[in-house]
Amino acid sequence: FMHFYRICLLHQRRLRLDFAIGQNIVHPAHGPGTIVAIEEDELVKGYHRFYVIEFTHNRLIVRLPVERVSEIGVREVMSQARYERVLSTLRALPEQMQSDFKSRRYRVNELLHSGRPRQIAAAVRDLTWRKFEKHLTKADADQLSKGRQMLAAEVAMSNNEDVHEADQTIRAAVAESVAAQQALLQEVTEADAV
């Protein structure tokens, strides 16, 4: 392993790379992770460089070809300004989701795999409201759990805090959204009664 590490450092200095060993990144499908190595392997078409990314929140290690990073949508962890926008999205009034479970599942899956924290936050907020308003199917509940986990892991990494603390912050922001929606529905019900 140390031999690979030394080779990786030499190549990192010699070739321009988007990310460095030890840098935190976000993969659109796997969420936040840390680059633990940069390896070079000889394949049929020559040598190829790979980022070795560890995703501790789901115990996964992925080797990602360096040349596919931008195509896949790997990015840096959210900034403080983006974090504030994510919290605003979580606190906003939820949007109505499709009643057809296949359409809803497809749409939520798009949001979760977009790699964009605000879209993931919108999916978490809207699924949480659906859970309160109606019920969640098993697939909905799984998507809600996955979205909350991905968002909490990135928030924790971004703010240098524990994942549990980040999850509590997310849940509190979504609770504000649910309470605001309930109050709005109550106002509409009372206005209709008059």
Side-chain angles (χ1 to χ4, degrees), residues 10-54:
L10 289 173
H11 287 288
Q12 184 178 355
R13 288 185 196 125
R14 187 176 51 158
L15 302 170
R16 181 171 174 331
L17 299 172
D18 293 332
F19 303 109
I21 295 171
Q23 185 173 355
N24 294 326
I25 54 90
V26 178
H27 187 287
H30 302 298
T34 303
I35 296 177
V36 294
I38 301 170
E39 299 177 347
E40 189 169 295
D41 282 345
E42 184 175 8
L43 302 175
V44 175
K45 295 181 181 180
Y47 284 94
H48 290 276
R49 290 178 295 153
F50 297 87
Y51 289 117
V52 180
I53 307 167
E54 181 179 27

Side-chain angles (χ1 to χ4, degrees), residues 153-172:
E154 183 170 0
V155 166
M157 196 174 273
S158 171
N159 294 340
N160 199 25
E161 64 184 14
D162 182 67
V163 174
H164 180 71
E165 291 174 59
D167 187 54
Q168 292 304 315
T169 302
I170 291 165
R171 288 176 188 266

Side-chain angles (χ1 to χ4, degrees), residues 54-74:
E54 181 179 27
F55 301 94
T56 55
H57 68 280
N58 56 3
R59 298 184 193 116
L60 179 68
I61 294 180
V62 172
R63 294 179 76 226
L64 181 67
V66 169
E67 61 271 6
R68 294 202 54 219
V69 165
S70 57
E71 172 191 334
I72 291 171
V74 174

Side-chain angles (χ1 to χ4, degrees), residues 75-110:
R75 62 174 174 79
E76 293 181 0
V77 174
M78 75 173 91
S79 64
Q80 189 62 35
R82 184 176 278 178
Y83 169 68
E84 294 300 329
R85 290 191 300 270
V86 165
L87 286 180
S88 293
T89 299
L90 290 168
R91 291 182 182 121
L93 291 175
E95 295 179 12
Q96 194 64 34
M97 301 188 88
Q98 296 96 334
S99 57
D100 175 57
F101 75 93
K102 286 183 182 179
S103 299
R104 183 175 61 249
R105 185 174 179 184
Y106 179 78
R107 178 66 181 139
V108 170
N109 205 41
E110 276 184 328

Side-chain angles (χ1 to χ4, degrees), residues 137-153:
T137 64
K138 171 81 168 100
D140 288 338
D142 289 347
Q143 287 181 315
L144 175 58
S145 177
K146 180 179 181 177
R148 194 180 300 130
Q149 181 184 27
M150 287 174 71
L151 200 55

